[in-house]
């Protein structure tokens, strides 16, 4: 595995929704080329917000970046439209699946591949690649995505992102709703892409066990702030850090106070 | 004789229906890419027709007037994208719907501010003398309009069939956030489709303008198009045509055969009631995409 | 707590009437896809029954049939002694059945408290007029509803976000609100579709405790769909396993854990169990 | 979920204490105690009374669209039903007190609303919205066609009798304003009770997730129809005010599609699912064009004719609507809340971050 | 001294064509009087415009605002809806409300409607005038017996208003009438004209409005119904109604209270002095002398003359509204006076009294030749004897309903 230059970096990012609700108050994070980084944190820590911020989707949620910088591939992401970012290889799998519900599963994948601008013939092997990864989707390819099962939708969303042949794949809770075998399969496949094609990955996960097992490095968010950043192995092995992350001694992240 | 009259009414209705379809198509284009009923379509129609007439009245040759009007419609499309749709991305459809109402004020106001409120005649050079085919009266103008509408539908259908753009359109209508996330250029899609809607508005505006004169009331023809839309399905071009035919026929037959019993003038709402009755059987119109949802 | 004996062969006459929920030979297909195929099993009162299986195996469809959102092609559903070819969704709540949904199904615009209080809707007796006028009965009913809801918020540690619109909460918390909404009616049967998706280990642990408490304190029968095998093994009395719409196994956690068919179809290698082990 | 799901940040009925309560008291004092003393006829007849009538209509539509999530483009038809019903009741049942007439007119409007609400049991989104136009055009046609409704007035336009309540004749501007104010206050109070009640909660539940609502035992069909009935009732009463307290004449053309849109504007610009929203929206829609017109006249009146000014105002109004939607899709209410929070936040010093 | 004319005009929206023409003509005439004569006997005429878009509530707002300016002479809204909404108020504020060519028919009875003046023509006299014209054209009213007439009317209160009167006229003259509604706005008339084609009537009376008119003419052409057998009413008689129909309008004939054309001395003067000085109100000079413009001018003449007549009684100063009302009630312009005003041939005469607020207006008919209107008839009088009793029945009912004391014209004349 070769780890090169910094591909993505967040520095002191603060973000609000509606100019009112503050969701991030100091997130720093780097992903280098060919690296797998796990973003961990309790419910409401701000993982999703951070990911949306870095792929330019925050404005669409009426969110704003109040401070800090986000640089992808040497350029400021706030200067580029989400579409440009995707074309530059930064592709996100959204939390909550977000399939195009009235499109068939296959059409979902095809739309995902559209940034590549492939013709009908060239698209075939790309689709095959996804169907090999998720055989279940092959059976359901003619069904409207909105009607498929939760897990199938999650597979569709991940497959759709992979169709764009990203350089940096950003995943928001990919394991959610997936059977253990499938989760394992996905991470294995991602790891292979990472190894073979140098795909960089940033993954936000609740399922820290799985995430840490596959990640090179991990970052922990707490109430909108980066509180820990280091090699995944450390977190994996050191029980004190794990305990810290799990919430013991840090005043229960499960039920933070309301505004 | 009675049978002949029936045929005449039916044919007249079908041909009027095509005129409605012409307007409905503009709606369909926008609905397909944003899931929104674009209430500014009437204003666009007015703007296009008014611009065209005013230019020709100022002595421009027809081709130049058409080109200039098309340019203007493109400009408007781009402006709407930039100033309205982009900031309102990922908002619920009702918000966008209201925004199109706002846009219709602006476009209507601008049209009349630019070109005045006068009533203009518009002569497309198509004679509309009575034409009898097998004893049945047919309007040559309506036949022409039907041909234009047919051509437009064919072109758009082919376009959607043979390009993958249609897929992108539907994706955008389904989920704008996801569309952004997979890298669809919403700005380009929207500009393109609003421009296309502007062009459709020009065609519809010219044909309707030749019938009504070019004036403010032109924007009211959208009310004729709405039942067509619900009947055919908001997102189907073919539906716009079929819906138009049905609405036209139902409307005219009802007015002629039912109207006298209730005092007449029922055309204004009968199409809506008919469409409603039909929707109760098929809640998303004849060709509209069914609502996809599950838990 | 009632020890439920293994009852591999389902016999409707005997089992169905006494069980909290029973399904008999349910079949359901969509176009070419078989979502359920001749699925039969019974859940005894007070039991925590997990339903597991690969994605698309038909688990959610099963719950949808039981809650009347899907009408099965064939088969029947027994609920509290009544038998249905198709369960009337409108009467579900009065039958004592609550459920949560795999995809969030909260009322986003309502506050958390109102979301939970809405779970008592089927109990309301006062008419609109009485509510508007504020007749004593209506007021009492409303106050009781909110009191009940507050209790649940406290129970699920949601009191801090009581007044926030549910739609602005982070995902995991929304799931908890949904659970609260389902629990507030003290259902006899609770159907949970992946209630712990998107939660941290701690949260899953908490929630498992709550689910168990609901059963212990209220005697609620629980049917639970969950992909976290650790949680499932720790929490459930019995586990049903679906694969391609068929029931491929039904037994205690230990039986399931070691069932080669299940391992093959769903569990995979053993280390997957580590996630929620011991909960 | 309907595809018009309005969700996002909408008010929640359960808010216990509202800092607005003293504000409302103050408003009422001004409205009842001070305005009648200081306002002139212009203020009453050209601004306050139409404002009240439209705000009430907005309130009615808000129940349907804001709370229950069903978009209607036919509101003014129900105003017409209310107005004509009250006219005919007053005409044909001369002994009956006018307050009863109003209630009955509301009931008639509710019945018609119920009828046209039936399709909502099957239809969603814009399909439903467009089918409400059937009500709009059909009702207008009926009042036009059937002479009985306008007491066979050849022109179809009727002048309504002078308002008189409990023996007091209210034919002054101030009297009519006070009458409208009282009706609006009473209805608003009732609506407030309604939306805070479990039924109000059920309305929102239905809007946000119909399936979940059904599963937890909300009688979906009944609640939907209830929304149509209550909403039409209120809009009908607004129609009565429009006819009796404001214009004092009724004609079908006055209740056209533009009016329906105006009411929808009020609701959306003001803020969906918020009672304040209807009032804020109505204030904006009534007052703003007047301000704009006066301003335009004062600044540019000498340079351009009124047509050009009017056209420019139309453009400005359109731009304003769009701008509003962009800055705050949740409406004026949310905008004010935000401003308020910011001010309050100053005092409390920075109260952030607010996570979880 | 100043006399103020508040104008509730409409220059935008669907009715803009009528509004710009009418109010343009009105203003042009007032300008002329100011420029030429320095006002009426030295009293300057002032006005301002308040845009209503033809909407009632905007009209009301304008009323409430404009009425506060001193010296209001009369209101001229040119909108039935706005007029209705003002009837109570003008009574209370004691200012005349002029609804030239339109308005409430029964307000012709000045004994009940003291402050309302439907000058020149009301819907009933219009209908009667049209039937008289058709009779004259066919060679006498007797020849109407057995004829078939279709009235195509706009689906609005305005359109419906004359249904009973045509029925009555048909009974009296023995023709058969079929009244067919065109739903608002009237942009689709296929079915109506197909029915007409089947009925084969001798005449079609077009009681249209706005876009309905050109569409009617076009559709008539489509079904082969000759345009010269279509007779338009007073809101279907403008250039704006025929120009969009192009060739289809050639031969179409319509009633009018005032001829079109710019050849009349008063128009010449306006063209020369007002437009010559760049003070004309119309943007498009081609519209000078158009039907609506001329109606505005005639309306200007009537208003100004009413003020002049009132001044003779009350003094040459700013008059109160009630004094101007008196002027209107004594507005008698015979053909000679009309000629002196430079309007010979533009309109015929007027003779308003306490009992008759319309003024026994006479009408004429013009035919469109593809480019302009040409007068094709004499000045025709309606059948006043037939109409008056119906009008009185309605007005007295109104008086009873609203507790209005009916005035006694003889007594009032005596007291003056
Ligand atoms: N659209 C929104 N409007 C307002 N507040 C929001 C919105 N989305 C998120 N928030 C708030 O921002 C904060 C961060 O939420 P975020 O969704 O980023 O957390 P998360 O770490 O992804 O949580 P989870 O693990 O539950 O997905 C939370 O307090 C949340 O309530
Ligand atoms: N309404 C529907 N229309 C078409 N197909 C459906 C529908 N509902 C379910 N299916 C299909 O039936 C199968 C079973 O779906 P179901 O949602 O029950 O799976 P599941 O076991 O819950 O899976 P997961 O764990 O992924 O949620 C899937 O293949 C799904 O695509
Ligand atoms: Mg998240
Ligand atoms: Mg599922």
């Amino acid at each position: 595995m070769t780890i090169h230059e910094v591909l993505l970096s967040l520095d002191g990012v603060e973000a609000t929704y509606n100019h009112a609700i503050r969701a991030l108050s100091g997130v720093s994070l780097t992903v280098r080329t060919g690296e797998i980084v796990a973003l961990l944190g309790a419910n409401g820590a701000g993982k999703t917000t951070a990911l949306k911020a870095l792929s330019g989707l925050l404005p669409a949620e009426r969110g704003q970046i109040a401070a800090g910088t986000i640089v992808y591939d040497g350029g400021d992401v706030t200067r580029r439209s989400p579409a440009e970012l995707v074309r530059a290889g930064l592709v996100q799998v959204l939390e909550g699946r977000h399939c195009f519900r009235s499109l068939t599963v296959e059409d979902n994948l095809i739309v995902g591949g559209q940034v590549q601008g492939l013709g009908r013939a060239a698209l075939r092997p790309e689709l095959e690649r996804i169907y090999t990864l998720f055989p279940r989707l092959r059976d359901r390819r003619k069904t409207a995505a909105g009607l498929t099962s939760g897990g199938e939708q999650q597979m569709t969303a991940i497959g759709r992102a992979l169709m764009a042949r990203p350089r940096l794949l950003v995943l928001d809770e990919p394991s959610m709703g997936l059977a253990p075998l499938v989760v394992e399969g996905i991470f294995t496949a991602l790891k292979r892409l990472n190894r073979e094609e140098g795909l960089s990955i940033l993954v936000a996960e609740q399922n820290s066990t799985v995430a840490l097992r596959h990640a090179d490095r991990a970052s922990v968010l707490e109430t909108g702030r980066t509180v820990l950043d280091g090699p995944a192995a450390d977190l994996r092995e050191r029980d004190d850090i794990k305990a810290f992350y799990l919430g013991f001694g840090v005043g229960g992240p499960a039920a933070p106070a309301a505004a | 004789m009675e049978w002949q009259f029936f045929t005449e009414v039916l044919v007249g209705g079908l041909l009027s229906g095509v005129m409605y379809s012409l307007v409905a198509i503009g709606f369909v284009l926008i609905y397909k890419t944003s899931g929104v009923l674009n209430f500014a379509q009437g204003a666009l129609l007015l703007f296009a027709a008014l611009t065209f007439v005013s230019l020709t009245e100022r002595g421009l040759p027809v081709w130049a007037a058409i080109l200039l009007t098309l340019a203007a419609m493109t400009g408007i499309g781009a402006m709407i994208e930039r100033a309205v749709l982009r900031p309102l991305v990922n908002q619920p459809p009702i918000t966008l719907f209201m925004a199109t109402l706002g846009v219709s004020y602006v476009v209507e106001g601008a049209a009349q501010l630019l070109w005045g409120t006068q009533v203009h005649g518009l002569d497309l050079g198509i004679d509309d003398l009575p034409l009898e085919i097998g004893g049945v009266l047919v309007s040559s103008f309506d036949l022409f309009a039907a041909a234009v509408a047919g051509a437009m539908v064919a072109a758009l259908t082919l376009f959607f069939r043979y390009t993958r753009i249609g897929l992108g359109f539907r994706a955008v209508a389904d989920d704008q956030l996801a569309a952004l996330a997979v890298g669809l250029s919403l700005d380009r899609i929207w500009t393109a489709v609003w421009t296309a809607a502007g062009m459709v508005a020009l065609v519809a505006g010219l044909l309707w303008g030749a019938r009504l004169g070019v004036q403010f009331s032109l924007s009211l023809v959208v009310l004729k198009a709405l039942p067509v839309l619900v009947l055919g399905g908001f997102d189907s071009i073919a539906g716009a045509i079929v819906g138009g035919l049905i609405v036209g026929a139902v409307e005219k037959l009802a007015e002629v055969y039912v109207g006298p019993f209730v005092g007449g003038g029922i055309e204004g709402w009968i199409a809506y009631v008919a469409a409603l009755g039909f929707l109760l059987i098929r809640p998303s119109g004849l060709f509209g995409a069914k609502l996809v949802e599950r838990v | 707590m009632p020890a439920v004996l293994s009852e591999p062969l389902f016999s409707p006459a005997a089992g169905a009437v006494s069980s909290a929920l029973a399904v008999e030979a349910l079949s359901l297909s969509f176009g070419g896809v078989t979502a359920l195929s001749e699925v039969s099993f019974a859940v005894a009162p007070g039991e925590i029954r997990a339903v597991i299986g690969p994605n698309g195996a038909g688990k959610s469809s099963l719950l949808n049939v039981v809650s009347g959102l899907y009408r099965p092609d064939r088969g029947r559903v027994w609920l509290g002694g009544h038998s249905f070819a198709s369960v009337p969704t409108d009467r579900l709540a009065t039958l004592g059945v609550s459920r949560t949904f795999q995809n969030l199904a909260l009322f986003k615009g309502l506050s958390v408290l109102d979301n939970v209080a809405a779970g008592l809707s089927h109990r309301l007796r006062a008419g609109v007029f009485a509510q508007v006028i504020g007749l004593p009965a209506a007021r009492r009913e409303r106050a009781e509803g909110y009191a009940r809801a507050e209790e649940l918020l406290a129970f699920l540690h949601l009191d801090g976000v009581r007044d926030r619109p549910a739609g602005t909460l982070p995902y995991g918390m929304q799931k908890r609100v949904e659970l609260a909404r389902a629990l507030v009616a003290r259902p006899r049967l609770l159907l949970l579709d992946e209630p712990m998706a998107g939660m941290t280990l701690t949260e899953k642990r908490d929630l498992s405790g709550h689910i168990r408490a609901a059963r212990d304190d209220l005697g609620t029968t629980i049917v639970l769909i969950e992909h976290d095998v650790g949680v499932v093994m720790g929490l459930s009395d019995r586990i049903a396993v679906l694969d391609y719409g068929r029931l491929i196994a039904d037994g205690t956690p230990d039986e399931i854990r070691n069932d080669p068919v299940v391992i093959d179809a769903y569990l995979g290698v053993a280390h997957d169990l580590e996630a929620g082990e011991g909960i | 979920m309907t595809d018009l799901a309005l969700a996002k940040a909408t008010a929640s009925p359960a808010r216990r204490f509202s800092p607005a309560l003293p504000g409302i008291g103050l408003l009422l004092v001004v409205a009842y105690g001070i305005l009648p003393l200081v306002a002139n006829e212009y203020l009453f007849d050209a601004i306050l009374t139409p404002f009240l009538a439209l705000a009430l209509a907005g309130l009615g539509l808000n129940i349907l669209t804001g709370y229950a999530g069903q978009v209607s483009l036919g509101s003014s038809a129900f105003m017409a039903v209310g107005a004509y019903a009250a006219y005919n009741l007053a005409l044909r049942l001369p002994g009956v007190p006018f307050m009863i007439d109003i209630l009955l007119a509301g009931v008639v409007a509710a019945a018609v609303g119920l009828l046209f609400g039936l399709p909502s049991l099957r239809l969603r989104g814009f399909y439903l919205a467009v089918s409400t136009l059937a009500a709009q055009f059909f009702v207008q046609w009926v009042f036009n066609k059937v002479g009985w409704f306008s007491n066979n007035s050849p022109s179809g336009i009727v002048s309504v009798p002078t308002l008189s309540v409990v023996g007091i004749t209210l034919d002054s501007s101030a009297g009519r304003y006070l009458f409208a104010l009282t009706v609006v206050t009473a209805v608003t109070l009732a609506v407030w009770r309604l939306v805070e009640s479990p039924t109000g909660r059920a309305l929102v539940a239905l809007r946000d997730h119909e399936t979940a609502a059904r599963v937890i035992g909300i009688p979906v069909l009944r609640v939907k129809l209830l929304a149509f009935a209550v909403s039409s009732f209120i809009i009908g009463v607004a129609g009565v005010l429009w006819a009796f307290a404001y214009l004092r004449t009724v004609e079908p053309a006055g209740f056209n599609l533009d009016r329906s849109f105006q009411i929808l504007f009020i609701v959306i610009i003001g803020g969906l699912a918020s009672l304040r929203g209807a009032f804020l929206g109505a204030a904006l829609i009534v007052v703003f064009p007047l301000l704009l017109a006066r301003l335009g006249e004062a600044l540019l009146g000498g340079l351009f004719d009124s047509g050009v000014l009017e056209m420019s105002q139309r453009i400005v109004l359109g731009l304003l609507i769009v701008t509003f939607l962009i800055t705050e899709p949740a409406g004026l209410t949310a905008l004010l809340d935000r401003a308020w929070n910011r001010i309050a936040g100053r005092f409390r010093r920075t109260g952030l971050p607010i996570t979880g | 001294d100043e006399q103020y004319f508040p104008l509730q005009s409409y220059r935008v929206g669907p009715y803009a064509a009528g509004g710009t023409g009418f109010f343009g003509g009105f203003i042009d005439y007032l300008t002329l009087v100011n420029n030429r004569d320095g006002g009426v006997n030295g009293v300057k005429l002032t006005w301002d415009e308040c845009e209503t878009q033809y909407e009632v509530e905007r009209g009301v707002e304008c009323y409430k605002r404009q009425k506060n300016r001193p010296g209001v002479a009369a209101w001229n809204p040119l909108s039935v809806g706005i007029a209705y909404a003002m009837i109570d108020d003008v009574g209370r504020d004691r200012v005349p409300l002029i609804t030239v060519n339109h308005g409430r028919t029964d307000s012709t009875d000045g004994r009940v409607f003291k402050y309302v003046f439907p000058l020149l023509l009301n819907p009933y006299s219009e209908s009667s005038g049209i039937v008289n014209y058709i009779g004259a054209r066919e060679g006498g009213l007797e020849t109407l017996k057995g004829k078939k007439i279709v009235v195509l009317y706009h689906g609005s209160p305005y359109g419906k208003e004359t249904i009973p009167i045509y029925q009555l006229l048909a009974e009296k003259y023995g023709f058969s009438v079929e009244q067919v509604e065109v739903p608002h706005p009237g942009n689709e008339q296929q079915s109506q004209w197909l029915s007409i084609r089947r009925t084969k009537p001798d005449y079609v009376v077009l009681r249209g409005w706005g876009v309905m008119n050109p569409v009617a003419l076009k559709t008539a052409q489509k079904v082969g119904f000759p345009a010269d057998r279509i007779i338009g009413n007073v809101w279907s008689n403008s250039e704006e109604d025929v120009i969009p129909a192009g060739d289809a309008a050639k031969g179409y004939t319509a009633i009018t209270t005032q001829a079109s054309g710019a050849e009349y001395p008063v128009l010449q003067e306006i063209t020369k002095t007002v437009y010559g000085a760049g003070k004309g109100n119309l943007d498009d000079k081609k519209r000078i002398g158009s039907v609506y413009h001329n109606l505005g001018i005639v309306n200007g003449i009537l208003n100004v003359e009413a003020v002049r007549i009132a001044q003779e009684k009350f003094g040459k100063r700013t008059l109160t509204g009630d004094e101007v009302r008196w002027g209107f009630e004594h507005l008698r312009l015979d053909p000679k006076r009309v000629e002196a005003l430079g309007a010979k041939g533009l309109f015929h005469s007027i003779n308003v009294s306490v009992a008759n607020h319309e003024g026994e207006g006479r009408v004429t008919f013009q035919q469109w030749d593809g480019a302009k209107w040409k007068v094709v008839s004499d000045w025709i009088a309606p059948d006043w004897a037939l109409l008056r009793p119906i009008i009185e029945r309605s007005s007295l009912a109104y008086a009873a309903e609203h507790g209005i004391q009916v005035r006694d014209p003889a007594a009032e004349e005596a007291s003056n």
Side-chain angles (χ1 to χ4, degrees), chain B residues 1 6 15 74 80 92 103 125 138 173 190 192 239 266 275 286 291:
Chain B
M1 178 62 210
F6 176 85
L15 289 176
T74 313
I80 291 175
V103 168
V138 180
W190 277 333
I266 61 177
L286 262 178
L291 205 61

Side-chain angles (χ1 to χ4, degrees), chain B residues 46-58 60 65 68-69 72-73 76 107-120 214, chain D residues 308 311, chain E residues 283-284:
Chain B
L46 176 68
F47 189 95
L50 210 52
T51 307
F52 174 81
V53 189
S54 305
L55 290 175
T56 48
E57 276 177 7
R58 278 162 179 70
L60 246 66
L68 273 178
T69 311
M73 298 321 284
I76 291 182
V107 174
E108 248 170 49
Q112 298 185 75
L113 194 61
L114 265 176
W115 306 118
T117 53
Q118 248 140 289
V119 179
H120 306 261
V214 177
Chain D
V308 173
M311 226 59 86
Chain E
D283 290 332
D284 182 359

Side-chain angles (χ1 to χ4, degrees), chain A residues 148-151 177, chain B residues 294-295, chain C residues 55-56 58-61 102 193-194 225 227:
Chain A
T148 58
S149 86
Chain B
R294 63 161 290 189
V295 289
Chain C
N55 295 118
K59 307 179 293 296
S60 298
S61 299
Q102 176 168 14
D193 197 347
E194 301 195 17
I225 297 175
H227 282 300

Side-chain angles (χ1 to χ4, degrees), chain A residues 42-49 51-52 95-96 172-173 204 206, chain C residues 170-172 198:
Chain A
N43 244 296
K47 303 180 294 296
T48 300
T49 308
L51 296 194
K52 284 200 173 129
E95 178 183 65
D172 199 346
E173 310 227 12
Q206 299 282 15
Chain C
Y171 190 89

Side-chain angles (χ1 to χ4, degrees), chain B:
Chain B
M1 178 62 210
E2 200 39 49
W3 178 85
Q4 197 181 1
F5 180 66
F6 176 85
T7 318
E8 241 167 50
V9 173
L10 182 64
V11 170
L14 293 175
L15 289 176
S16 302
V18 176
M19 292 289 286
Y20 306 162
S21 308
L22 223 46
V23 182
I25 292 170
F27 282 95
V28 171
L29 280 177
I30 306 286
Y31 192 88
K32 266 175 119 63
T33 50
S34 31
V36 163
L37 187 67
N38 167 29
F39 223 84
Q41 192 64 25
L44 287 180
L45 204 130
L46 176 68
F47 189 95
L50 210 52
T51 307
F52 174 81
V53 189
S54 305
L55 290 175
T56 48
E57 276 177 7
R58 278 162 179 70
L60 246 66
V62 170
W63 62 266
I66 289 200
L67 281 185
L68 273 178
T69 311
L70 281 183
M73 298 321 284
T74 313
I76 291 182
M79 246 150 65
I80 291 175
E81 190 281 320
R82 185 73 199 80
V84 183
L85 301 172
R86 198 181 300 180
L88 283 178
V89 66
N90 204 29
Q91 290 298 319
I94 181 87
T95 309
L96 272 169
F97 170 65
M98 277 292 128
T100 66
L101 263 167
V103 168
S104 82
Y105 280 11
V106 176
V107 174
E108 248 170 49
Q112 298 185 75
L113 194 61
L114 265 176
W115 306 118
T117 53
Q118 248 140 289
V119 179
H120 306 261
L122 171 59
D123 189 1
L124 295 179
I126 306 149
D127 269 338
D128 199 8
L129 298 175
L131 189 75
E132 296 218 4
I133 300 177
V136 173
L137 182 88
V138 180
S139 152
S140 46
F141 181 89
D142 287 356
L143 281 180
F144 173 79
V148 171
M152 214 152 75
V153 167
L156 286 171
T157 313
L158 288 180
F159 175 74
F160 281 112
R161 169 99 21 104
Y162 290 106
T163 61
R164 253 185 272 121
I165 289 180
L167 215 52
F169 281 12
R170 281 168 58 203
V172 176
D174 259 3
D175 191 328
Q176 296 182 0
L177 191 67
L180 284 173
V182 301
L184 293 176
S185 304
L186 297 199
D187 43 355
R188 259 188 260 159
I189 289 181
W190 277 333
T191 310
V193 81
W194 277 78
T195 306
M199 292 178 184
V200 174
L202 174 62
V203 175
L206 291 185
L207 288 172
W208 273 98
R211 278 188 148 194
L212 311 182
V214 177
Q215 53 177 308
F216 184 85
S217 308
L218 206 50
S219 57
L220 295 180
V221 300
V222 299
L223 295 181
K224 289 278 181 195
L226 294 180
V228 172
L229 283 170
V230 290
L231 210 96
F234 276 118
D235 49 4
S236 160
I237 304 244
I241 277 286
V242 178
L245 293 174
I246 296 176
V247 164
V250 165
E251 208 177 79
K252 300 299 177 237
L253 290 173
E255 184 70 61
V256 168
Y257 290 105
V258 183
F261 299 106
V262 292
I266 61 177
E267 258 176 284
W269 54 266
I270 194 78
Y272 283 93
V273 172
L276 202 129
F278 180 82
L279 281 184
L280 294 182
I281 307 165
R282 280 186 72 101
S284 46
L286 262 178
F287 298 104
K290 287 213 190 59
L291 205 61
V292 172
E293 60 183 26
R294 63 161 290 189
V295 289

Side-chain angles (χ1 to χ4, degrees), chain A residues 97 136 140 143-153 155 177-179, chain B residues 293-295, chain C residues 28-31 33-36 52-64 70 102 193-194 225 227 242 245 266:
Chain A
R97 296 155 195 153
R136 184 82 213 171
R140 315 294 296 126
T143 310
L147 294 176
T148 58
S149 86
E152 289 162 352
Q153 291 187 20
M155 297 176 203
L178 291 179
Chain B
E293 60 183 26
R294 63 161 290 189
V295 289
Chain C
L28 172 66
S29 59
F30 298 97
V33 180
T34 311
L36 294 171
I52 61 173
N55 295 118
K59 307 179 293 296
S60 298
S61 299
L62 178 70
L63 285 206
N64 286 349
Y70 285 176
Q102 176 168 14
D193 197 347
E194 301 195 17
I225 297 175
H227 282 300
L242 289 179
Y266 184 64

